[in-house]
Amino acid sequence: MTEDWVLYEVFIRARAGLEHKHVGSLHAADARMAIEHARDIYTRRQEGVSIWVVRSNDIHAADPAEAAALFDPAGDKIYRHPTFYSIPEEVKNI
Amino acid sequence: MYTQALDAQPGAAGADDAEQQARLARFQERIDRDEKIEPTDWMPEQYRHMLIRQIAQHAHSEIVGMLPEGNWITRAPSLRRKVVLIAKVQDEGGHGLYLYSAAETLGVTRAALIEQLLAGQARYSSIFNYPTLTWADIGAIGWLVDGAAIMNQIPLCRCSYGPYARAMVRICKEESFHQRQGYELMLTLARGSAAQRAMAQDAFARWWRPALMMFGPSDAHSVHTAQSMRWKIKRFSNDELRQKFIDATVPQAHFLGLSIPDPELRWDAASQHFQTGPIDWGEFEAVLRGDGPCNRERLAARREAHEAGAWVRAAAVAYAEKHPEHAPAASVG
């Protein structure tokens, strides 16, 4: 079977001032080709002004099995949100 | 639609122990809450299997779908029509890539999927096995085939599987011009000479019924629809989508002055829908089986492209190995 080229994840900055955002992935022989392909595939309608590509294997992700341990503790800490605090209506600009 | 053959596949084995049943129930609850399923989440094997097949068939359809239209790029009647057609065909190639990428998140490689296609073991939409005989076929495809595809794909943007839904959002955004350029092309012919009008009518007459078949077998014969809808892979049944397409398209055809090639077509005031004559499912089955007008030609073209491109892929890898320093000009910043 023919093997696929390396898988890259593609991140695009839509315009100056915005962050790069993950848009998808593609296969390429090297990083330059990955950028060229990303340009052809993900920016045909002026979707971006900058491209990052990262080998998918180089991305480290949180273990989904640990999702509860990692993220549930934030669930009951409502005092971290501004709406937790009640301020009389007469008080302005706060 | 692009995944018609799924409807004819037998179901996979069900869960057999209590723990598995509990997992399935929790999974179904997530789906019922309209939560999206992501690649690293637990999912039933049958869900994974259905998705791989559906997304792969959809991806193959995009790629094979480039062939009937590519046939007319060199003969487009004006530069404007030519750049439009090239842009559309290029979009289809991109759509194939988004979809193969979505399938890869389910643990299958693109190389394996392409291998299946080239070996004649994979299915793609029956519609692409019909020939593009005249320039008007390019208009009919954009208007009818892409129109039917959009009808099917918009609900897929809300599919329960995250990567597939995200790919569909992107595809739908890009595809909206495909249908409009096709209709505009037909409109130009319809307002042209008698020969041009006849050409438009001929193309319409040939594509109308195959376009209706794109939605797949009728609900009564669609084995997988119920499970697929429970898992929110599919949101509407084949017949619902087909009816929606008919109701939208008949008035568009009338506006063009085209006659519908169906003597039994009539407006049903009671249901507020157009009713059509019976669809020839024998023809549909034959095309899916490989006996359509262009099945062999399409696969041969894909195989030739794949084989003739082998040296390019090998050269790119050899170059990358020889120039490990061949990094992009700028570092991240």
Side-chain angles (χ1 to χ4, degrees), chain B residues 169-239:
Chain B
V169 168
R170 184 176 290 279
I171 288 172
C172 285
K173 265 189 204 162
E174 299 188 351
E175 204 129 90
S176 54
F177 106 77
H178 296 182
Q179 189 188 17
R180 289 172 69 97
Q181 66 82 32
Y183 193 77
E184 188 215 55
L185 198 166
M186 293 300 269
L187 195 59
T188 307
L189 294 175
R191 289 174 175 167
S193 67
Q196 287 173 315
R197 286 197 298 277
M199 194 198 268
Q201 177 64 48
D202 167 68
F204 180 59
R206 282 182 288 108
W207 288 94
W208 170 246
R209 283 184 182 278
L212 298 187
M213 293 178 199
M214 283 178 71
F215 294 92
S218 71
D219 296 347
H221 298 99
S222 182
V223 186
H224 261 329
T225 292
Q227 182 60 69
S228 184
M229 286 178 78
R230 256 196 307 281
W231 278 333
K232 294 186 183 169
I233 296 173
K234 208 166 167 173
R235 294 280 188 154
F236 297 99
S237 75
N238 296 348
D239 287 336

Side-chain angles (χ1 to χ4, degrees), chain A residues 1-5 7 13 20 23-27 29-33 35 40-42 44-45 47 52 64, chain B residues 40 90-91 97-98 101 104 109-112 115 170 174 177 306 313 316-317 319-320 326-329 332-333:
Chain A
M1 185 197 297
T2 9
E3 280 200 19
D4 281 317
W5 288 329
L7 191 65
R13 185 201 291 284
H20 286 75
V23 293
S25 55
L26 50 77
H27 293 274
D30 59 26
R32 180 176 295 271
M33 184 195 273
I35 287 177
D40 286 345
I41 293 158
Y42 293 107
R44 287 200 302 281
R45 290 174 174 80
E47 289 95 335
W52 288 353
Chain B
T40 50
Q90 190 188 19
D91 274 354
L97 181 127
Y98 305 154
S101 295
E104 285 186 297
T109 67
R110 184 178 66 178
E115 194 116 315
R170 184 176 290 279
E174 299 188 351
F177 106 77
H306 193 73
R313 295 191 294 277
V317 171
Y319 184 85
H326 192 94
V332 161

